[in-house]
Amino acid sequence: MTMAASKPLRTRRKMQRVTIKDVAARAELSPSTVSLYFRKPDAVSASASEAIARAIEALDYVPNLMAGGLAAASSRVVSIIVPSVRNAFFAETVAALQEELSKQRLQVMLSHTEYREHDEENLVRTALAWAPAAVVLTGLSHSAATRRLLRDSKVPIVEIWELGSPTMDMAVGFHHDQVGHAAASHLLQRGRKRLLFLGARLHEDRRAARRAQGFVEAARNAPDVTAEVIQHPAPASAEVGAMLLGEAVHRFPNVDGIACSNDHIALGVIFECQRSGIAIPERLSVMGFGDLSFSAAANPSLTTIRPPGDLIGKEAARLIITRLAHSGAESEQAVIDTRFTLLHRQSS
Amino acid sequence: MTMAASKPLRTRRKMQRVTIKDVAARAELSPSTVSLYFRKPDAVSASASEAIARAIEALDYVPNLMAGGLAAASSRVVSIIVPSVRNAFFAETVAALQEELSKQRLQVMLSHTEYREHDEENLVRTALAWAPAAVVLTGLSHSAATRRLLRDSKVPIVEIWELGSPTMDMAVGFHHDQVGHAAASHLLQRGRKRLLFLGARLHEDRRAARRAQGFVEAARNAPDVTAEVIQHPAPASAEVGAMLLGEAVHRFPNVDGIACSNDHIALGVIFECQRSGIAIPERLSVMGFGDLSFSAAANPSLTTIRPPGDLIGKEAARLIITRLAHSGAESEQAVIDTRFTLLHRQSS
DNA sequence: GCTCAGTATAATAGCGCTATTATGTATCTG
DNA sequence: CAGATACATAATAGCGCTATTATACTGAGC
């Protein structure tokens, strides 16, 4: 029943135009040496290096990173999962990450959850299928299955944009409740007593919700102060901000201090106040979160809290690069608190 | 000198926890069948499918996409190269692309040129090293070497956000000179005669430069009309807009119509006019480009031209998916003009 | 009853590279 | 100058998967 020695079977397969073998042949060296040239350039002689470089140039050789990754059992891909790059915060962090990582010839693979936490597991599963050098996740809230997948994979993990108790591996960010706290403190310090937090999409944006929560807690600890939250289900925008202000003055006519979950909201509030003749900051103090590109130039300029999106990306990249360099060493579970900055401007 | 049959040499190599073999063993089937299950589910029997599904579940199997890509000589990666995701325009397109592509289990690999066109070649080279299913580039201006690399690779190419003469393969976008034209026409129609284009980073942002050029050309064809361009080397922001307005009224005191390369600039102009008491639109018409999230809510609301960033991403994804589906068929060289929309609001 | 399709599954040979080991060859020792 | 020691280069065996080919196993058809 078993078959005898099979005849000279030959199957044809699709392929790459020029491979490491071709380079080696042209340089009159072995493929091993060419491979070594890429991985440890110092280990090959000057003459060999030169011949290889010439051959690469002449043949226009592009190495196949999939083959390399397979053989090395690791790829130079970093998988980044953010809610959305449409959000300027994450866009900035992704840009910074990509900038820093590309210096080390690490590639960024990008995925979006669109604030559907439920999708994260599938994205992580796909990410792991590329044997990534590291995985970057947004926030700290992940399903049990996601955690298990990641833990089993032994891949370095960085959680960004949020700090809190259960960290999987490494984390870079800040405490969002502290942001809410700082906003409330600032308004109280400006003598405000009737506080309001205007938020967008708080049911989906966990971090914004924590800012709101921190805000209310801090305010309620002060005597004679009230603090409420009004929110809108749509994503943050100036239009939503304008609408929320309308609702705010309607429901709380004597509001005198407003913190927004986002500078877009705050900008909408400013515009709406201009239209309805509410003096900022005389009658109403307004502050935002984000320090977006328009905030300093607004009229009045917007008091806001600046989250260090760029720094988060840079630090996350640094952690990854360090970890990859000392892959043998014991994995130091790093947590970096980047803090945030309150920028006091005219609107408060 | 040649060596005889080598002794039972055995080298150890790093590996994956659970492979297709393990799944096959557990399902009591061969690896080929499991592979077939992934690639052509209809070709395996119901009982086998069920056994495989159970094994995958039990073992928590994650396929190695690098191995798969290597064997199949193609990966399910789409490489996207944009100037920067910090720019809301490209962020939106990237988000739309990723959304549509992920539905087809295509992964996005992201790179930024940061407006350094010179870097593009290296990014393309690295992109090709992953044997991508497609490559998406921004704009039409690419070095000869980049073009050659891409042409030789036979990979589907989509150029986005700009339309013009030399298209490499497929293209989705619009004509930026037409945008400038439309802006000038609008201001002329509003009775403006002393026109100004305010731009940021025109030396790097080729598309903004073309808008400026189209603007000036259209204006100069009208009788008794003057049109000038003022620009700033920094990236577009409201602060730059405010500065540019200062320079504008200084150098051209009787300017009555301003088009900006970007809504951020226009927003800065609006704020600065509020501060210096220049009535919009009575004394000065202002318009932007982008229809960013704040533009409709601004005071006055901003007349602007909306580029369909989302649509560009969707259409690019559609082209890619269609091309991959009919990979055998002759490659239809598609060019999609998405157009743009002028939104007339209070500022003009 | 026996050939002939048609189907489902299995065996096999790489994809292009890396990492390990082996093999020369030049450079030191005493 | 034998013997040890670097150092540069080459041979080799997979990494985990896909795609091709081969082989069982069914029923049909005559």
Side-chain angles (χ1 to χ4, degrees):
Chain A
M1 289 306 169
T2 61
M3 48 167 201
S6 55
K7 287 277 162 158
L9 241 176
R10 65 223 125 86
T11 63
R12 208 162 26 95
R13 202 60 42 75
K14 299 157 194 167
M15 55 167 177
Q16 194 161 316
R17 315 144 304 283
V18 52
T19 72
I20 202 169
K21 261 187 197 165
D22 302 317
V23 174
R26 177 146 187 147
E28 299 186 301
L29 287 161
S30 74
S32 323
T33 308
V34 178
S35 174
L36 202 60
Y37 167 83
F38 283 116
R39 292 173 295 117
K40 294 173 182 170
D42 296 339
V44 313
S45 69
S47 64
S49 291
E50 209 178 305
I52 293 169
R54 253 201 309 274
I56 291 170
E57 173 79 24
L59 298 173
D60 219 352
Y61 170 63
V62 177
N64 185 325
L65 259 26
M66 291 197 295
L70 178 60
S74 86
S75 72
R76 298 193 66 80
V77 166
V78 173
S79 192
I80 302 181
I81 300 176
V82 293
S84 171
V85 282
R86 275 186 252 250
N87 183 318
F89 299 148
F90 302 127
E92 184 166 14
T93 299
V94 167
L97 262 163
Q98 131 88 41
E99 248 168 81
E100 297 299 314
L101 293 174
S102 68
K103 288 179 192 162
Q104 308 288 323
R105 307 206 337 272
L106 289 160
Q107 291 280 117
V108 165
M109 217 169 230
L110 184 69
S111 304
H112 303 153
T113 63
E114 291 300 335
Y115 292 96
R116 292 185 297 267
E117 274 194 5
H118 170 263
D119 287 2
E120 196 184 50
E121 182 180 333
N122 280 327
L123 297 179
V124 166
R125 198 176 288 275
T126 310
L128 291 178
W130 287 96
V135 174
V136 177
L137 300 174
T138 309
L140 300 171
S141 142
H142 317 290
S143 77
T146 303
R147 286 167 191 282
R148 183 165 40 76
L149 270 174
L150 289 168
R151 193 173 346 95
D152 292 353
S153 73
K154 315 275 191 206
V155 171
I157 315 292
V158 187
E159 291 168 289
I160 57 172
W161 271 93
E162 187 174 359
L163 247 43
S165 26
T167 298
M168 297 187 69
D169 182 2
M170 299 177 279
V172 184
F174 53 92
H175 295 272
H176 287 259
D177 48 354
Q178 290 180 6
V179 170
H181 224 279
S185 300
H186 175 74
L187 291 176
L188 293 175
Q189 203 182 311
R190 307 300 298 164
R192 304 307 181 168
K193 301 278 188 189
R194 298 289 160 259
L195 307 188
L196 218 45
F197 188 96
L198 303 186
R201 217 168 19 173
L202 295 187
H203 55 297
E204 285 179 331
D205 188 340
R206 235 180 70 98
R207 288 165 289 283
R210 295 210 62 191
R211 296 197 288 276
Q213 193 186 324
F215 180 82
V216 171
E217 275 169 12
R220 290 195 175 150
N221 283 338
D224 303 325
V225 169
T226 61
E228 301 292 335
V229 175
I230 302 184
Q231 69 150 321
H232 192 91
S237 72
E239 276 175 291
V240 166
M243 287 170 53
L244 283 170
L245 182 81
E247 188 179 343
V249 295
H250 178 72
R251 285 177 51 192
F252 305 98
N254 53 356
V255 55
D256 58 6
I258 285 182
C260 304
S261 70
N262 185 294
D263 278 3
H264 283 291
I265 307 275
L267 184 64
V269 168
I270 286 179
F271 283 135
E272 196 59 25
C273 286
Q274 286 177 357
R275 289 194 195 92
S276 46
I278 298 174
I280 299 176
E282 293 76 11
R283 186 172 138 202
L284 181 65
S285 284
V286 177
M287 59 187 299
F289 172 76
D291 193 29
L292 299 181
S293 63
F294 50 76
S295 305
N299 176 40
S301 59
L302 180 64
T303 294
T304 191
I305 286 171
R306 179 214 293 259
D310 191 76
L311 181 63
I312 290 173
K314 282 201 170 79
E315 288 293 307
R318 197 175 59 71
L319 286 179
I320 290 167
I321 291 162
T322 310
R323 174 69 67 86
L324 294 181
H326 316 284
S327 58
E330 202 40 44
S331 49
E332 6 129 31
Q333 197 187 318
V335 173
I336 296 179
D337 189 345
T338 59
R339 311 299 176 85
F340 50 83
T341 320
L342 194 149
L343 299 166
H344 182 194
R345 294 199 276 237
Q346 298 167 346
S347 70
S348 69
Chain B
M1 288 312 164
T2 61
M3 46 167 205
S6 55
K7 288 277 162 159
L9 240 176
R10 65 224 125 87
T11 62
R12 199 164 37 91
R13 202 61 42 76
K14 298 154 194 167
M15 53 168 180
Q16 195 162 316
R17 316 141 305 282
V18 44
T19 72
I20 202 170
K21 261 186 199 167
D22 301 317
V23 174
R26 178 147 187 145
E28 299 185 302
L29 288 162
S30 74
S32 322
T33 308
V34 178
S35 174
L36 201 60
Y37 168 83
F38 283 116
R39 292 173 295 116
K40 295 171 182 172
D42 296 339
V44 312
S45 69
S47 63
S49 291
E50 207 178 306
I52 292 169
R54 250 201 310 275
I56 290 170
E57 174 78 23
L59 298 173
D60 219 351
Y61 170 63
V62 177
N64 185 325
L65 259 26
M66 292 197 295
L70 178 61
S74 85
S75 70
R76 296 193 68 80
V77 166
V78 173
S79 191
I80 302 181
I81 301 177
V82 292
S84 170
V85 280
R86 276 185 252 251
N87 184 318
F89 299 149
F90 302 126
E92 184 165 15
T93 300
V94 167
L97 261 164
Q98 130 88 43
E99 249 169 79
E100 297 300 314
L101 293 174
S102 68
K103 288 178 191 162
Q104 307 288 322
R105 305 206 341 270
L106 288 160
Q107 292 281 116
V108 165
M109 215 170 231
L110 184 70
S111 304
H112 303 153
T113 63
E114 291 302 333
Y115 292 97
R116 291 184 298 265
E117 274 194 5
H118 170 263
D119 288 3
E120 195 185 51
E121 183 181 334
N122 280 327
L123 296 178
V124 166
R125 198 176 288 276
T126 309
L128 291 178
W130 286 96
V135 174
V136 177
L137 298 175
T138 309
L140 300 170
S141 142
H142 316 289
S143 76
T146 302
R147 285 167 191 283
R148 183 165 38 76
L149 270 173
L150 288 168
R151 193 175 344 97
D152 291 354
S153 74
K154 315 274 193 208
V155 171
I157 316 290
V158 187
E159 291 167 289
I160 57 171
W161 271 93
E162 187 174 358
L163 248 42
S165 25
T167 298
M168 298 186 68
D169 182 3
M170 298 176 279
V172 184
F174 54 91
H175 294 272
H176 287 260
D177 48 354
Q178 290 181 5
V179 170
H181 224 279
S185 300
H186 175 73
L187 291 176
L188 293 173
Q189 205 183 310
R190 306 300 298 166
R192 303 308 178 168
K193 300 279 188 187
R194 300 288 160 260
L195 307 189
L196 218 45
F197 187 96
L198 304 186
R201 216 165 25 171
L202 295 186
H203 56 297
E204 285 178 330
D205 188 342
R206 234 179 72 96
R207 286 165 290 282
R210 295 210 63 191
R211 296 196 289 274
Q213 193 186 323
F215 180 83
V216 171
E217 274 169 12
R220 290 197 176 146
N221 283 339
D224 302 326
V225 169
T226 61
E228 301 292 335
V229 175
I230 303 184
Q231 68 150 323
H232 191 90
S237 72
E239 277 174 290
V240 166
M243 288 170 52
L244 283 170
L245 182 81
E247 188 179 342
V249 296
H250 178 72
R251 285 178 50 193
F252 304 99
N254 54 358
V255 55
D256 59 6
I258 284 182
C260 303
S261 70
N262 186 296
D263 277 3
H264 284 292
I265 307 274
L267 184 64
V269 168
I270 287 179
F271 283 135
E272 195 59 23
C273 286
Q274 286 177 355
R275 288 194 196 93
S276 46
I278 297 173
I280 299 176
E282 293 76 11
R283 186 172 139 202
L284 182 66
S285 285
V286 177
M287 60 186 297
F289 171 77
D291 192 31
L292 299 181
S293 63
F294 51 77
S295 305
N299 176 39
S301 60
L302 180 64
T303 294
T304 191
I305 287 171
R306 178 213 294 259
D310 191 75
L311 181 63
I312 290 173
K314 282 201 170 80
E315 288 294 306
R318 197 177 57 73
L319 286 179
I320 290 167
I321 291 161
T322 310
R323 174 70 67 86
L324 294 181
H326 316 283
S327 57
E330 202 42 43
S331 48
E332 7 128 30
Q333 198 185 317
V335 173
I336 296 179
D337 188 344
T338 58
R339 310 299 177 85
F340 50 84
T341 319
L342 194 147
L343 301 166
H344 181 196
R345 294 199 276 237
Q346 298 166 346
S347 70
S348 69

